[in-house]
Amino acid sequence: MMPNVDALRTPHEHEAERASNSYLMSLVALLSGVVLPVVNLIATLIFFLGNRRATYFVRWHCTQALVSQVAIFLLNAPLFWWTISILFLNASFSSEYVAYLLLILMLNFVEMVSTIWAAIQTRKGAHVEWLFFGELTHLLCRPKP
Amino acid sequence: MQAEALRRLVFSGLLLGGLLFSTWAVLAQVNWRGVLHVEEGLVVAEAQLGSIFLNAMRHSEKLVEEAAVLKPLNRLVDRLCAENRIPRQEIHLYVLKNPEVNAFAFPGGNLVIHTGLLERVETPEELCGVLAHEIAHIELRHVRKKLSKELGLVSLVSMTTGGAGSELVKETLKVLSSSAFDRRLEMQADQTAIRYLQQAEIDPKPFADCLQRLSDSNQDGEVVLKWFSSHPDSRSRAKAVQHTIGSKVVSFRSPMSRQEWSELKKRLKFKRSS
């Protein structure tokens, strides 16, 4: 058991609301109809920067939202450029491309569902940790002394 | 504590990374091009592009429609296709009244030859070599590759959906008629053309001689030899073709009788003066 998890277990109402909003930021682009994933990342980053002095619970969830968005962005970006090279340059429309496209679509769908679920759970005051991103967030985000 | 946290991080990272990679690897095993009927779609798109270019060509150029010129040429194409099991309906031959020594292929299996080139070649075997070369470009899908490289898929799609203006179509036709494919594709077309000729029992040596002869003329500054000036390095191509032919002694059959050939030449001279 990670010692700082105890500090995440009993958030106040306003903390739960702010933490939940950090996940909702990554859905901003979807809701506004914009397809570029970089908008999600920018929105989450702005929210993260705006909550640097918030409580540990809020900071922790802002960090988890941010690192997961960075990962999604890093996985989406090659697909974007691969698509550009097929459309405008001479790259081949290969099975590997379609496989990567399907993988990214599935990943984005899973990410969207996970984000909505995390937003709901966090709003209720529950602590949600994602595989890998939870561990990374524990390393990056410490409770204030 | 820190070490434990790092260990958990690395383990979960490897697990997640492994899961993503293996999912991609499994999905990549599927032949998506077949599943999505990409080839069929490309064939349809190519045929559409061919019609668009043909219409543009009919408006801007003068097509020769005289049977006395077209029939013997089509018989040459018939023989090359029949002996090489190329579906004849895939190749459409057009002759343009144009003094430029040029021949080119455009999408949809369309092959265009200028009267300038027909007048310049000295034997039916030389002409068969040029036809075989252009048929090779069509069969090896070089035209489609060249178009997608020069224009990109977006412009091609806009052309097939009617979104492109007539200027883009004209410019594209100009690109197809005036510039060669890259060196690798030209060499491939030459090798394939020799195979086609040999299979049809047509002597490929005159084709090599023609490349050599006309590239020499081109060095002297004749600018009308477009087919030779636009194709890179005709002299080394001639050498490569001669090397491929080698010294094999094979029996050949003339593709056209002397009488037919001189009749054709007479018709072309008549057309030029009319």
Side-chain angles (χ1 to χ4, degrees):
Chain A
M1 180 90 67
M2 303 298 295
N4 45 6
V5 170
D6 290 333
L8 298 165
R9 291 216 182 279
T10 51
H12 291 292
E13 176 72 18
H14 69 277
E15 287 179 280
E17 190 181 339
R18 279 170 90 175
S20 173
N21 288 344
S22 69
Y23 295 107
L24 293 178
M25 282 303 111
S26 67
L27 296 174
V28 161
L30 210 67
L31 294 171
S32 67
V34 175
V35 181
L36 289 174
V38 71
V39 176
N40 288 353
L41 178 62
I42 292 169
T44 312
L45 176 66
I46 291 170
F47 198 80
F48 168 81
L49 292 171
N51 284 282
R52 275 176 304 168
R53 297 194 204 295
T55 62
Y56 181 52
F57 184 82
V58 174
R59 281 187 295 115
W60 196 97
H61 285 280
C62 286
T63 306
Q64 181 171 249
L66 180 63
V67 295
S68 64
Q69 281 306 305
V70 168
I72 287 288
F73 174 75
L74 290 174
L75 289 168
N76 284 346
L79 179 68
F80 178 77
W81 292 111
W82 201 342
T83 307
I84 293 290
S85 71
I86 288 172
L87 292 177
F88 297 103
L89 306 171
N90 199 23
S92 155
F93 184 82
S94 60
S95 291
E96 286 77 13
Y97 167 78
V98 178
Y100 193 71
L101 172 67
L102 290 173
L103 174 70
I104 295 303
L105 285 173
M106 285 191 298
L107 203 61
N108 277 269
F109 178 73
V110 166
E111 187 263 338
M112 189 183 70
V113 168
S114 308
T115 300
I116 292 170
W117 180 77
I120 294 168
Q121 294 302 310
T122 319
R123 185 66 186 85
K124 290 178 191 171
H127 174 63
V128 172
E129 278 190 35
W130 289 335
L131 175 71
F132 176 73
F133 299 110
E135 277 88 5
L136 183 60
T137 307
H138 276 305
L139 285 172
L140 294 173
C141 186
R142 304 285 177 175
K144 283 183 191 151
Chain B
M1 271 318 171
Q2 192 78 352
E4 171 68 21
L6 274 171
R7 204 169 33 244
R8 283 162 66 102
L9 179 70
V10 168
F11 177 74
S12 58
L14 287 172
L15 184 66
L16 193 60
L19 188 66
L20 289 175
F21 182 78
S22 56
T23 307
W24 177 67
V26 165
L27 287 172
Q29 298 308 306
V30 178
N31 176 17
W32 291 106
R33 285 178 72 95
V35 168
L36 298 170
H37 302 293
V38 169
E39 286 306 321
E40 290 91 327
L42 285 172
V43 167
V44 168
E46 208 177 313
Q48 275 179 317
L49 276 174
S51 301
I52 291 166
F53 289 135
L54 189 58
N55 282 336
M57 201 173 67
R58 280 186 201 280
H59 278 108
S60 58
E61 305 282 341
K62 201 165 176 205
L63 282 174
V64 171
E65 276 162 352
E66 208 181 316
V69 172
L70 293 177
K71 250 191 182 162
L73 295 178
N74 273 305
R75 271 204 294 275
L76 295 177
V77 175
D78 289 345
R79 179 158 157 191
L80 284 168
C81 290
E83 298 297 332
N84 289 284
R85 297 203 184 127
I86 297 167
R88 181 61 177 92
Q89 65 274 18
E90 278 183 12
I91 311 292
H92 315 280
L93 177 71
Y94 298 95
V95 178
L96 289 187
K97 190 174 176 190
N98 192 317
E100 255 183 13
V101 180
N102 199 11
F104 60 93
F106 63 86
N110 295 299
L111 198 165
V112 175
I113 194 159
H114 286 186
T115 49
L117 188 144
L118 290 174
E119 286 176 38
R120 201 59 185 249
V121 290
E122 291 177 359
T123 64
E125 285 81 0
E126 288 180 7
L127 176 57
C128 285
V130 174
L131 290 172
H133 177 91
E134 296 303 329
I135 291 172
H137 278 313
I138 293 169
E139 290 300 300
L140 295 169
R141 305 279 181 254
H142 291 171
V143 182
R144 189 194 305 164
K145 284 179 196 168
K146 181 180 178 180
L147 270 184
S148 62
K149 187 179 174 183
E150 301 274 351
L151 298 178
L153 201 52
V154 170
S155 301
L156 290 180
V157 169
S158 76
M159 264 194 253
T160 56
T161 55
S166 61
E167 276 313 305
L168 178 60
V169 173
K170 271 189 212 154
E171 280 306 309
T172 311
L173 204 50
K174 222 192 231 174
V175 164
L176 285 172
S177 67
S178 62
S179 65
F181 299 88
D182 68 42
R183 190 191 170 89
R184 186 180 59 89
L185 298 184
E186 287 298 338
M187 291 297 219
Q188 240 179 26
D190 282 340
Q191 302 300 316
T192 309
I194 293 164
R195 196 164 40 86
Y196 287 166
L197 291 170
Q198 288 173 332
Q199 193 65 28
E201 293 179 3
I202 298 170
D203 190 358
K205 205 174 166 304
F207 175 52
D209 295 340
C210 176
L211 282 175
Q212 185 71 53
R213 187 180 79 242
L214 289 169
S215 73
D216 286 343
S217 303
N218 198 49
Q219 300 296 319
D220 299 333
E222 274 197 70
V223 294
V224 293
L225 302 173
K226 200 114 189 228
W227 197 78
F228 302 90
S229 66
S230 62
H231 284 60
D233 212 2
S234 289
R235 201 169 276 173
S236 64
R237 282 178 64 212
K239 280 201 179 103
V241 165
Q242 274 157 354
H243 178 75
T244 307
I245 293 166
S247 53
K248 266 190 282 193
V249 177
V250 185
S251 65
F252 298 117
R253 293 181 288 128
S254 178
M256 200 185 272
S257 66
R258 270 190 204 180
Q259 191 188 348
E260 266 186 305
W261 182 246
S262 61
E263 277 297 321
L264 177 64
K265 288 291 205 175
K266 265 193 214 144
R267 292 304 318 170
L268 289 165
K269 269 203 184 87
F270 176 72
K271 277 229 89 60
R272 181 162 35 97
S273 54
S274 65

